[in-house]
Amino acid sequence: MELALGIDAGGTGTRAVIAESPDHAAGPWRIVGRGAAGPGNPISAGPAALLEIAAAVRQALGHRSPASVRAAALGLSGTSALDDPRTRDRFRQMWTELGLTCPMTVVGDVLTAFVAGTRSPSGAVLIAGTGAVAARIDQLAIVRVVDGLGWLLGDEGSGRWLGLRAVRAAARSFDSPFATRIAAHAGVTSCDELVRWAQALPLDAIAALAPTVCAEARHGDPDATAIVTDAVRRLLRTLDSLDSPGPVVLAGSLLTADTPIRDALLTTLRARGTEVTLAGDPAEAAARLAATTQPTPRAASPAPTHP
């Protein structure tokens, strides 16, 4: 049996999937192996990211021969990481040490998120997790991207955006019940301490406030509700600016988990008559891309097809 390898290398973790070819041409590929490891994005994790990718691939392969893998696709945020000659050389070395000889295509994680939610080759994807971005997809190629500009310049409606808005609201009304919950998360007892905590830019801790904001909005807290309502408005604006026909895939933790942001977006989009789905496993999507297509890398960040 021939195998296809899909990898989702993210800033917080890496997942790998092995898919096996069907017994007959018309049959579906079957997932036969899975692996997981630590952060696999070379931009944020540095050279250690390749060790994590390798660990996830080894676990997914199990006892299977690497020579049986005929194609692979790597979903990566910031595909330009492999444009760096040193990183590319390390990747080639890792690939060789794993015993893999198949072609490997690097695609943006935006594309794997889209494929994880639909069988259509064209449409749009809206992602809101730690960051936020939307993209228009045409025949499995990313043709337009909106936002994804990072916490300082954009990522509107993202988890980190929610956290920043929560800290600002708490600092302005420190005697509110909402501020009490935010201060407890930050481990502070006064507004001055909260300001000093925020000025140190603990960005991961700020992003980790998103579940608190969503939970408080569920319970009707006015500050949290205002933040969530604004997040939904901004995410819709980001999506609408694509002017994309076809299905919309929602991806990222804020839009695939049970959150008021997801619920509001689903309600609004379905009321418009938009076909909308939630993304599944992006590693499985990468394996499907490897098995059935030669996906087009993001035009702005071409990456080598062969490691």
Side-chain angles (χ1 to χ4, degrees):
M1 285 289 186
E2 291 184 333
L3 305 176
L5 168 64
I7 307 167
D8 174 48
T12 58
T14 302
R15 286 172 293 174
V17 163
I18 294 291
E20 187 178 66
S21 62
D23 293 328
H24 52 89
W29 285 67
R30 183 170 61 97
I31 304 301
V32 295
R34 295 181 182 274
N41 191 318
I43 293 178
S44 57
L50 301 184
L51 298 177
E52 301 298 337
I53 293 175
V57 171
R58 286 193 184 96
Q59 186 179 351
L61 277 170
H63 65 277
R64 300 171 188 89
S65 169
S68 299
V69 180
R70 72 167 178 83
L74 168 67
L76 187 67
S77 175
T79 58
S80 60
L82 293 186
D83 289 346
D84 177 74
R86 291 172 298 179
T87 302
R88 193 162 57 241
D89 287 345
R90 292 189 188 107
F91 197 96
R92 288 195 183 100
Q93 181 180 356
M94 176 204 73
W95 207 249
T96 300
E97 290 174 352
L98 285 170
L100 293 164
T101 58
C102 64
M104 186 277 297
T105 303
V106 180
V107 298
D109 60 352
V110 167
L111 181 58
T112 54
F114 176 75
V115 174
T118 181
R119 296 286 178 168
S120 173
S122 302
V125 59
L126 175 64
I127 304 174
T130 300
V133 64
R136 182 171 178 171
I137 311 296
D138 184 23
Q139 298 301 312
L140 297 182
I142 301 170
V143 296
R144 189 178 179 199
V145 175
V146 178
D147 206 348
L149 300 174
W151 69 271
L152 184 61
L153 303 179
D155 282 359
E156 295 186 347
S158 69
R160 188 164 287 159
W161 182 92
L162 288 173
L164 287 167
R165 290 292 299 271
V167 173
R168 290 169 184 157
R172 285 171 171 79
S173 301
F174 197 75
D175 57 349
S176 69
F178 183 69
T180 299
R181 292 174 177 83
I182 300 304
H185 171 89
V188 302
T189 58
S190 71
C191 186
D192 285 345
E193 289 178 343
L194 180 65
V195 171
R196 287 195 294 273
W197 178 81
Q199 289 294 330
L201 292 179
L203 293 177
D204 289 342
I206 289 172
L209 281 166
T212 299
V213 176
C214 289
E216 292 304 312
R218 288 278 196 213
H219 290 108
D221 181 274
D223 291 318
T225 298
I227 293 170
V228 164
T229 299
D230 194 21
V232 172
R233 181 182 65 83
R234 290 169 186 263
L235 288 168
L236 280 170
R237 184 176 64 187
T238 296
L239 178 64
D240 290 344
S241 65
L242 292 173
D243 192 26
S244 175
V248 171
V249 175
L250 302 182
S253 57
L254 283 175
L255 304 187
T256 56
D258 181 14
T259 71
I261 296 175
R262 181 198 68 178
D263 292 350
L265 285 170
L266 286 173
T267 298
T268 300
L269 293 173
R270 286 170 177 166
R272 295 176 177 179
T274 303
E275 179 188 345
V276 55
T277 60
L278 303 182
D281 185 352
E284 287 189 20
R288 191 161 74 245
L289 284 169
T292 60
T293 67
Q294 285 298 318
T296 303
R298 189 174 62 180
S301 306
T305 302
H306 297 272

